[in-house]
Coordinates of all heavy atoms in Angstrom, one line a residue:
M1 N -32.3 -79.1 5.7 CA -32.3 -78.2 6.9 C -33.1 -78.8 8.0 O -34.1 -79.4 7.8 CB -32.9 -76.9 6.5 CG -32.1 -76.1 5.4 SD -30.8 -75.1 6.2 CE -31.8 -73.9 7.0
Y2 N -32.6 -78.6 9.2 CA -33.2 -79.0 10.4 C -33.3 -77.9 11.4 O -32.6 -76.8 11.2 CB -32.4 -80.1 11.0 CG -32.4 -81.4 10.2 CD1 -31.5 -81.6 9.2 CD2 -33.3 -82.4 10.5 CE1 -31.6 -82.7 8.4 CE2 -33.3 -83.6 9.8 CZ -32.4 -83.7 8.7 OH -32.5 -84.9 8.0
F3 N -34.1 -78.1 12.4 CA -34.2 -77.1 13.5 C -34.3 -77.7 14.8 O -34.7 -78.9 15.0 CB -35.5 -76.2 13.3 CG -36.8 -76.9 13.6 CD1 -37.3 -76.7 14.9 CD2 -37.4 -77.7 12.7 CE1 -38.5 -77.3 15.2 CE2 -38.6 -78.4 13.0 CZ -39.1 -78.2 14.3
A4 N -33.9 -77.0 15.9 CA -34.1 -77.4 17.2 C -34.6 -76.2 18.0 O -34.1 -75.1 17.8 CB -32.8 -77.9 17.8
I5 N -35.6 -76.4 18.8 CA -36.1 -75.3 19.7 C -36.1 -75.8 21.1 O -36.5 -76.9 21.4 CB -37.6 -74.9 19.3 CG1 -37.7 -74.4 17.9 CG2 -38.1 -73.9 20.4 CD1 -39.1 -74.2 17.4
F6 N -35.5 -75.0 22.0 CA -35.5 -75.4 23.4 C -35.8 -74.2 24.3 O -35.7 -73.0 23.9 CB -34.1 -76.0 23.8 CG -32.9 -75.2 23.7 CD1 -32.5 -74.3 24.7 CD2 -32.2 -75.2 22.5 CE1 -31.4 -73.6 24.6 CE2 -31.0 -74.5 22.4 CZ -30.6 -73.6 23.4
R7 N -36.2 -74.5 25.5 CA -36.6 -73.5 26.5 C -35.6 -73.6 27.6 O -35.1 -74.7 28.0 CB -38.0 -73.6 27.0 CG -39.0 -73.5 25.8 CD -40.4 -73.6 26.3 NE -40.9 -72.5 27.0 CZ -41.2 -71.3 26.4 NH1 -41.0 -71.1 25.2 NH2 -41.7 -70.3 27.2
T8 N -35.2 -72.4 28.2 CA -34.2 -72.4 29.2 C -34.3 -71.1 30.0 O -34.7 -70.1 29.5 CB -32.8 -72.5 28.7 OG1 -31.8 -72.5 29.7 CG2 -32.5 -71.5 27.6
E9 N -33.9 -71.2 31.3 CA -33.8 -70.0 32.1 C -32.5 -69.2 31.9 O -32.4 -68.1 32.3 CB -33.9 -70.4 33.6 CG -35.3 -71.0 34.0 CD -36.4 -70.0 34.0 OE1 -36.2 -68.8 34.0 OE2 -37.6 -70.5 34.0
S10 N -31.5 -69.8 31.3 CA -30.2 -69.3 31.0 C -29.9 -69.3 29.5 O -29.1 -70.0 29.0 CB -29.1 -70.0 31.7 OG -29.4 -70.2 33.1
P11 N -30.6 -68.4 28.7 CA -30.6 -68.5 27.3 C -29.2 -68.4 26.7 O -28.8 -69.1 25.8 CB -31.5 -67.5 26.8 CG -31.7 -66.6 27.9 CD -31.5 -67.3 29.1
L12 N -28.4 -67.4 27.1 CA -27.1 -67.2 26.5 C -26.1 -68.3 26.8 O -25.4 -68.8 25.9 CB -26.5 -65.8 26.9 CG -27.3 -64.6 26.4 CD1 -26.6 -63.4 27.0 CD2 -27.4 -64.6 24.9
D13 N -26.1 -68.8 28.1 CA -25.2 -69.9 28.4 C -25.6 -71.2 27.7 O -24.7 -71.9 27.2 CB -25.3 -70.2 29.9 CG -24.7 -69.1 30.8 OD1 -23.8 -68.3 30.2 OD2 -25.0 -69.0 32.0
M14 N -26.9 -71.4 27.6 CA -27.3 -72.7 26.9 C -27.2 -72.6 25.4 O -26.8 -73.6 24.8 CB -28.8 -73.0 27.3 CG -29.0 -73.3 28.7 SD -28.2 -74.9 29.2 CE -26.7 -74.3 30.0
L15 N -27.3 -71.4 24.9 CA -27.1 -71.2 23.4 C -25.6 -71.5 23.1 O -25.3 -72.3 22.2 CB -27.4 -69.8 23.0 CG -27.1 -69.5 21.5 CD1 -27.8 -70.5 20.6 CD2 -27.5 -68.1 21.2
V16 N -24.7 -71.0 23.9 CA -23.3 -71.3 23.7 C -23.0 -72.8 23.8 O -22.3 -73.3 22.9 CB -22.4 -70.5 24.7 CG1 -20.9 -70.9 24.7 CG2 -22.5 -69.0 24.4
R17 N -23.5 -73.4 24.8 CA -23.3 -74.9 24.9 C -23.9 -75.7 23.8 O -23.3 -76.6 23.3 CB -23.9 -75.4 26.3 CG -23.1 -74.8 27.5 CD -23.6 -75.3 28.8 NE -23.4 -76.8 28.8 CZ -24.1 -77.6 29.6 NH1 -25.1 -77.1 30.4 NH2 -23.9 -78.9 29.6
A18 N -25.1 -75.3 23.4 CA -25.7 -76.0 22.2 C -25.0 -75.8 20.9 O -24.8 -76.7 20.2 CB -27.2 -75.5 22.1
L19 N -24.4 -74.6 20.7 CA -23.6 -74.3 19.5 C -22.3 -75.1 19.5 O -21.9 -75.6 18.5 CB -23.4 -72.8 19.3 CG -24.6 -72.0 19.0 CD1 -24.2 -70.5 18.9 CD2 -25.3 -72.5 17.7
A20 N -21.7 -75.2 20.7 CA -20.5 -76.0 20.8 C -20.8 -77.5 20.5 O -20.0 -78.2 19.8 CB -19.9 -75.9 22.2
E21 N -22.0 -78.0 20.9 CA -22.4 -79.4 20.6 C -22.7 -79.5 19.1 O -22.4 -80.5 18.5 CB -23.6 -79.8 21.5 CG -23.9 -81.2 21.5 CD -22.7 -82.1 22.1 OE1 -22.1 -81.7 23.1 OE2 -22.5 -83.1 21.5
L22 N -23.3 -78.5 18.5 CA -23.5 -78.5 17.1 C -22.2 -78.6 16.3 O -22.1 -79.4 15.4 CB -24.3 -77.2 16.7 CG -24.8 -77.1 15.3 CD1 -26.1 -77.8 15.1 CD2 -24.9 -75.6 14.9
D23 N -21.2 -77.9 16.8 CA -19.9 -77.9 16.1 C -19.3 -79.3 16.3 O -18.7 -79.8 15.3 CB -19.0 -76.8 16.7 CG -17.7 -76.7 16.0 OD1 -17.7 -76.6 14.8 OD2 -16.6 -76.8 16.7
R24 N -19.3 -79.9 17.5 CA -18.8 -81.2 17.7 C -19.5 -82.2 16.8 O -18.8 -83.2 16.4 CB -18.9 -81.6 19.1 CG -17.8 -81.1 20.0 CD -17.9 -81.8 21.4 NE -18.9 -81.3 22.3 CZ -18.9 -80.1 22.9 NH1 -17.9 -79.3 22.8 NH2 -19.9 -79.8 23.7
A25 N -20.8 -82.0 16.5 CA -21.5 -83.0 15.6 C -21.1 -82.8 14.2 O -21.5 -83.6 13.3 CB -23.0 -82.8 15.8
G26 N -20.4 -81.7 13.8 CA -20.1 -81.4 12.5 C -21.2 -80.8 11.6 O -21.1 -80.9 10.4
F27 N -22.2 -80.2 12.3 CA -23.3 -79.6 11.6 C -23.0 -78.2 11.3 O -22.2 -77.5 11.9 CB -24.6 -79.7 12.4 CG -25.1 -81.1 12.7 CD1 -26.0 -81.3 13.7 CD2 -24.7 -82.1 11.9 CE1 -26.5 -82.6 13.9 CE2 -25.2 -83.4 12.1 CZ -26.1 -83.6 13.1
A28 N -23.6 -77.6 10.2 CA -23.4 -76.2 9.8 C -24.6 -75.4 10.4 O -25.8 -75.7 10.1 CB -23.4 -76.1 8.3
L29 N -24.3 -74.3 11.1 CA -25.3 -73.4 11.6 C -25.8 -72.6 10.5 O -25.1 -72.0 9.7 CB -24.6 -72.5 12.7 CG -25.5 -71.4 13.2 CD1 -26.6 -72.0 14.1 CD2 -24.7 -70.5 14.1
T30 N -27.2 -72.5 10.4 CA -27.8 -71.7 9.3 C -28.6 -70.5 9.9 O -29.0 -69.6 9.2 CB -28.6 -72.5 8.4 OG1 -29.7 -73.2 9.1 CG2 -27.7 -73.5 7.6
G31 N -28.9 -70.6 11.2 CA -29.7 -69.5 11.8 C -29.9 -69.7 13.3 O -29.9 -70.8 13.8
V32 N -30.1 -68.6 14.0 CA -30.3 -68.6 15.4 C -31.4 -67.5 15.7 O -31.3 -66.4 15.2 CB -29.1 -68.3 16.3 CG1 -29.4 -68.2 17.7 CG2 -28.0 -69.4 16.1
H33 N -32.3 -67.9 16.6 CA -33.3 -66.9 17.0 C -33.5 -67.1 18.5 O -33.7 -68.2 19.0 CB -34.6 -67.1 16.3 CG -35.7 -66.1 16.8 ND1 -35.7 -64.8 16.5 CD2 -36.7 -66.3 17.7 CE1 -36.7 -64.2 17.0 NE2 -37.3 -65.1 17.8
L34 N -33.4 -66.0 19.3 CA -33.5 -66.1 20.7 C -34.7 -65.2 21.1 O -34.7 -64.0 20.7 CB -32.2 -65.6 21.4 CG -32.3 -65.4 22.9 CD1 -32.6 -66.7 23.6 CD2 -30.9 -64.8 23.4
A35 N -35.7 -65.7 21.8 CA -36.8 -64.9 22.2 C -36.8 -64.8 23.7 O -37.3 -65.6 24.5 CB -38.1 -65.6 21.8
P36 N -36.0 -63.7 24.2 CA -35.8 -63.6 25.7 C -37.0 -63.0 26.4 O -37.0 -63.0 27.6 CB -34.6 -62.6 25.7 CG -34.7 -61.8 24.5 CD -35.3 -62.7 23.5
G37 N -38.0 -62.5 25.7 CA -39.1 -61.9 26.4 C -40.0 -62.8 27.2 O -40.9 -62.4 28.0
T38 N -39.8 -64.1 27.0 CA -40.6 -65.1 27.7 C -39.8 -65.7 28.8 O -38.6 -65.6 28.9 CB -41.1 -66.2 26.7 OG1 -39.9 -66.9 26.2 CG2 -41.9 -65.7 25.5
A39 N -40.5 -66.3 29.7 CA -39.9 -67.0 30.8 C -40.4 -68.4 31.0 O -41.6 -68.5 31.2 CB -40.1 -66.2 32.2
P40 N -39.7 -69.4 30.7 CA -38.3 -69.4 30.3 C -38.1 -68.9 28.8 O -39.1 -69.0 28.0 CB -37.8 -70.8 30.4 CG -39.1 -71.6 30.3 CD -40.2 -70.8 30.9
A41 N -36.9 -68.5 28.5 CA -36.7 -68.1 27.1 C -36.7 -69.2 26.1 O -36.5 -70.4 26.4 CB -35.3 -67.4 27.0
E42 N -37.0 -68.9 24.9 CA -37.1 -69.9 23.8 C -35.9 -69.6 22.8 O -35.7 -68.4 22.4 CB -38.4 -69.8 23.1 CG -38.5 -70.9 22.0 CD -39.9 -70.9 21.4 OE1 -40.8 -71.5 22.0 OE2 -40.1 -70.3 20.3
V43 N -35.2 -70.6 22.5 CA -34.1 -70.5 21.6 C -34.3 -71.5 20.4 O -34.7 -72.6 20.6 CB -32.7 -70.9 22.3 CG1 -31.6 -70.8 21.3 CG2 -32.5 -70.1 23.5
R44 N -34.1 -70.9 19.2 CA -34.2 -71.8 18.0 C -32.9 -71.8 17.2 O -32.3 -70.7 17.0 CB -35.3 -71.3 17.0 CG -35.4 -72.1 15.8 CD -36.5 -71.6 14.8 NE -36.4 -72.3 13.5 CZ -37.4 -73.0 13.0 NH1 -38.5 -73.1 13.7 NH2 -37.2 -73.6 11.9
I45 N -32.5 -73.0 16.9 CA -31.2 -73.1 16.1 C -31.6 -73.9 14.8 O -32.2 -74.9 14.8 CB -30.2 -73.9 16.9 CG1 -29.8 -73.2 18.1 CG2 -29.0 -74.2 16.0 CD1 -28.9 -74.0 19.0
D46 N -31.3 -73.3 13.7 CA -31.4 -73.9 12.4 C -30.1 -74.4 11.9 O -29.1 -73.7 12.1 CB -32.0 -72.9 11.4 CG -33.4 -72.5 11.7 OD1 -34.2 -73.3 12.2 OD2 -33.8 -71.3 11.6
Y47 N -30.0 -75.6 11.3 CA -28.7 -76.1 10.9 C -28.9 -77.1 9.8 O -30.0 -77.6 9.5 CB -28.1 -76.8 12.1 CG -28.9 -78.0 12.7 CD1 -28.6 -79.3 12.3 CD2 -29.9 -77.8 13.6 CE1 -29.3 -80.4 12.8 CE2 -30.6 -78.8 14.1 CZ -30.3 -80.1 13.7 OH -31.1 -81.2 14.2
A48 N -27.8 -77.3 9.1 CA -27.7 -78.3 8.0 C -27.0 -79.5 8.6 O -25.9 -79.4 9.2 CB -26.9 -77.8 6.8
A49 N -27.6 -80.7 8.5 CA -27.0 -81.9 9.0 C -25.9 -82.4 8.1 O -25.5 -81.7 7.2 CB -28.1 -83.0 9.2
G50 N -25.4 -83.6 8.3 CA -24.4 -84.2 7.5 C -23.1 -84.3 8.2 O -22.0 -84.4 7.6
G51 N -23.2 -84.2 9.5 CA -21.9 -84.3 10.3 C -21.7 -85.8 10.7 O -22.0 -86.7 10.0
T52 N -21.2 -85.9 11.9 CA -20.7 -87.2 12.4 C -21.8 -88.0 13.1 O -21.6 -89.2 13.5 CB -19.5 -87.0 13.4 OG1 -19.9 -86.2 14.5 CG2 -18.3 -86.4 12.7
V53 N -23.0 -87.4 13.4 CA -24.1 -88.0 14.1 C -25.4 -87.7 13.4 O -25.4 -86.7 12.6 CB -24.2 -87.6 15.6 CG1 -22.9 -88.0 16.3 CG2 -24.5 -86.1 15.7
A54 N -26.4 -88.4 13.7 CA -27.7 -88.1 13.1 C -28.4 -86.9 13.9 O -28.0 -86.7 15.0 CB -28.6 -89.3 13.3
P55 N -29.2 -86.2 13.2 CA -29.9 -85.0 13.8 C -30.6 -85.5 15.1 O -30.6 -84.7 16.1 CB -30.9 -84.5 12.8 CG -30.2 -84.9 11.5 CD -29.6 -86.2 11.8
E56 N -31.2 -86.6 15.1 CA -31.9 -87.1 16.3 C -31.0 -87.3 17.5 O -31.3 -87.1 18.6 CB -32.6 -88.4 16.0 CG -33.7 -88.3 14.9 CD -33.2 -88.3 13.5 OE1 -32.0 -88.7 13.3 OE2 -33.9 -87.9 12.6
T57 N -29.7 -87.7 17.2 CA -28.7 -87.9 18.3 C -28.4 -86.5 18.9 O -28.3 -86.4 20.1 CB -27.5 -88.6 17.7 OG1 -27.9 -89.9 17.2 CG2 -26.4 -88.8 18.8
W58 N -28.2 -85.5 18.0 CA -27.9 -84.2 18.5 C -29.1 -83.7 19.4 O -28.8 -83.1 20.4 CB -27.6 -83.2 17.3 CG -27.2 -81.9 17.8 CD1 -26.0 -81.6 18.4 CD2 -27.9 -80.7 17.7 NE1 -26.0 -80.2 18.7 CE2 -27.2 -79.7 18.3 CE3 -29.2 -80.4 17.2 CZ2 -27.6 -78.4 18.4 CZ3 -29.6 -79.1 17.3 CH2 -28.8 -78.1 17.9
L59 N -30.3 -83.9 18.9 CA -31.4 -83.4 19.8 C -31.4 -84.2 21.1 O -31.7 -83.5 22.1 CB -32.8 -83.7 19.0 CG -33.1 -82.8 17.8 CD1 -34.3 -83.3 17.1 CD2 -33.2 -81.4 18.2
A60 N -31.1 -85.4 21.1 CA -31.1 -86.2 22.4 C -30.0 -85.6 23.3 O -30.2 -85.6 24.5 CB -30.8 -87.7 22.1
R61 N -28.9 -85.2 22.7 CA -27.8 -84.6 23.5 C -28.3 -83.3 24.1 O -28.0 -83.0 25.3 CB -26.6 -84.3 22.7 CG -25.8 -85.6 22.3 CD -24.7 -85.3 21.4 NE -24.0 -86.5 20.9 CZ -23.0 -86.5 20.1 NH1 -22.5 -85.4 19.5 NH2 -22.4 -87.6 19.7
L62 N -29.0 -82.5 23.4 CA -29.6 -81.3 23.9 C -30.5 -81.5 25.1 O -30.5 -80.9 26.1 CB -30.4 -80.5 22.9 CG -29.6 -79.8 21.8 CD1 -30.5 -79.0 20.8 CD2 -28.5 -78.8 22.3
E63 N -31.4 -82.5 24.9 CA -32.3 -82.9 26.0 C -31.6 -83.3 27.3 O -32.2 -83.1 28.4 CB -33.2 -84.1 25.5 CG -34.2 -83.7 24.5 CD -35.0 -84.9 23.9 OE1 -34.5 -86.0 23.9 OE2 -36.1 -84.6 23.5
R64 N -30.5 -83.8 27.2 CA -29.7 -84.3 28.4 C -28.9 -83.1 29.1 O -28.4 -83.3 30.2 CB -28.8 -85.4 28.1 CG -29.5 -86.7 27.7 CD -28.5 -87.9 27.7 NE -27.5 -87.7 26.7 CZ -27.5 -88.1 25.5 NH1 -28.5 -88.7 25.0 NH2 -26.4 -87.9 24.7
M65 N -28.8 -82.0 28.5 CA -28.1 -80.9 29.0 C -28.8 -80.3 30.2 O -29.9 -79.9 30.1 CB -27.8 -79.8 28.0 CG -26.8 -80.1 27.0 SD -26.6 -78.6 25.9 CE -25.4 -79.3 24.8
P66 N -28.1 -80.2 31.4 CA -28.7 -79.5 32.5 C -29.0 -78.1 32.2 O -28.2 -77.4 31.5 CB -27.6 -79.6 33.6 CG -26.7 -80.7 33.2 CD -26.8 -80.7 31.7
G67 N -30.2 -77.6 32.5 CA -30.5 -76.2 32.2 C -31.5 -76.1 31.0 O -32.0 -75.0 30.8
I68 N -31.6 -77.1 30.2 CA -32.5 -77.1 29.1 C -33.8 -77.8 29.5 O -33.7 -79.0 30.0 CB -31.9 -77.8 27.8 CG1 -30.8 -76.8 27.3 CG2 -33.0 -78.0 26.8 CD1 -30.1 -77.3 26.0
L69 N -34.9 -77.1 29.4 CA -36.2 -77.6 30.0 C -37.0 -78.4 29.0 O -37.7 -79.2 29.4 CB -37.0 -76.4 30.5 CG -36.2 -75.5 31.5 CD1 -37.0 -74.3 31.8 CD2 -35.8 -76.3 32.7
A70 N -37.0 -78.1 27.7 CA -37.8 -78.8 26.8 C -37.1 -78.6 25.4 O -36.6 -77.6 25.1 CB -39.2 -78.2 26.7
V71 N -37.2 -79.7 24.6 CA -36.6 -79.7 23.2 C -37.6 -80.2 22.2 O -38.2 -81.2 22.5 CB -35.3 -80.5 23.2 CG1 -34.7 -80.6 21.8 CG2 -34.2 -80.0 24.2
T72 N -37.7 -79.5 21.1 CA -38.4 -80.0 20.0 C -37.5 -79.8 18.8 O -36.7 -78.9 18.8 CB -39.8 -79.4 19.8 OG1 -39.6 -78.0 19.6 CG2 -40.7 -79.6 20.9
G73 N -37.8 -80.5 17.7 CA -37.0 -80.3 16.5 C -37.2 -81.4 15.5 O -38.0 -82.3 15.7
G74 N -36.5 -81.2 14.4 CA -36.6 -82.2 13.3 C -36.3 -81.4 12.0 O -35.8 -80.3 11.9
P75 N -36.7 -82.1 10.9 CA -36.6 -81.4 9.5 C -37.4 -80.2 9.4 O -38.6 -80.2 9.9 CB -37.0 -82.5 8.6 CG -37.1 -83.8 9.3 CD -37.3 -83.4 10.7
C76 N -36.9 -79.2 8.8 CA -37.7 -78.0 8.5 C -38.7 -78.4 7.4 O -38.3 -78.9 6.4 CB -36.9 -76.8 8.0 SG -35.8 -76.2 9.3
P77 N -40.0 -78.1 7.5 CA -41.0 -78.5 6.5 C -40.6 -77.9 5.1 O -40.3 -76.7 5.0 CB -42.3 -77.8 7.0 CG -42.1 -77.7 8.5 CD -40.6 -77.4 8.7
G78 N -40.5 -78.8 4.2 CA -40.2 -78.4 2.8 C -38.7 -78.2 2.5 O -38.3 -78.0 1.4
L79 N -37.8 -78.4 3.6 CA -36.4 -78.2 3.4 C -35.6 -79.4 4.0 O -34.5 -79.2 4.4 CB -35.9 -76.9 4.2 CG -36.6 -75.6 3.7 CD1 -36.1 -74.4 4.6 CD2 -36.2 -75.3 2.2
E80 N -36.1 -80.5 4.0 CA -35.4 -81.7 4.5 C -34.1 -81.9 3.8 O -34.0 -81.7 2.6 CB -36.3 -83.0 4.4 CG -37.5 -83.0 5.2 CD -38.7 -82.2 4.7 OE1 -38.6 -81.7 3.5 OE2 -39.7 -82.1 5.3
G81 N -33.1 -82.3 4.6 CA -31.8 -82.7 4.1 C -30.7 -81.8 4.4 O -30.4 -81.0 5.0

């Protein structure tokens, strides 16, 4: 299991774009959390890798999306793979 957290001023739009990119990568969505009370909003996506690209490549794609301000992510502690 892996996770990605990003901050954005347009959480719903960016969540839809990130999920579309997740689907293109062939990853399986396992969870989503949106914290809209902050400015900018924080979005967390949990997923299972094993698609057509490495998880690091998907994170790099998120970082390049206009409207995404910061990205962190990687393996979920204790749930790698």
Side-chain angles (χ1 to χ4, degrees):
M1 293 274 292
Y2 292 83
F3 75 97
I5 297 173
F6 62 87
R7 300 183 72 74
T8 179
E9 297 289 344
S10 308
L12 294 178
D13 290 340
M14 292 295 98
L15 176 59
V16 169
R17 291 183 64 202
L19 292 177
E21 193 62 41
L22 187 82
D23 185 54
R24 275 191 286 283
F27 296 160
L29 176 67
T30 60
V32 172
H33 178 76
L34 173 61
T38 60
E42 184 174 277
V43 179
R44 178 183 172 117
I45 298 173
D46 295 320
Y47 61 97
T52 58
V53 299
E56 297 80 15
T57 301
W58 184 71
L59 289 174
R61 289 178 183 175
L62 287 181
E63 289 176 331
R64 291 191 303 267
M65 285 184 183
I68 291 184
L69 306 174
V71 176
T72 59
C76 294
L79 298 176
E80 290 83 1

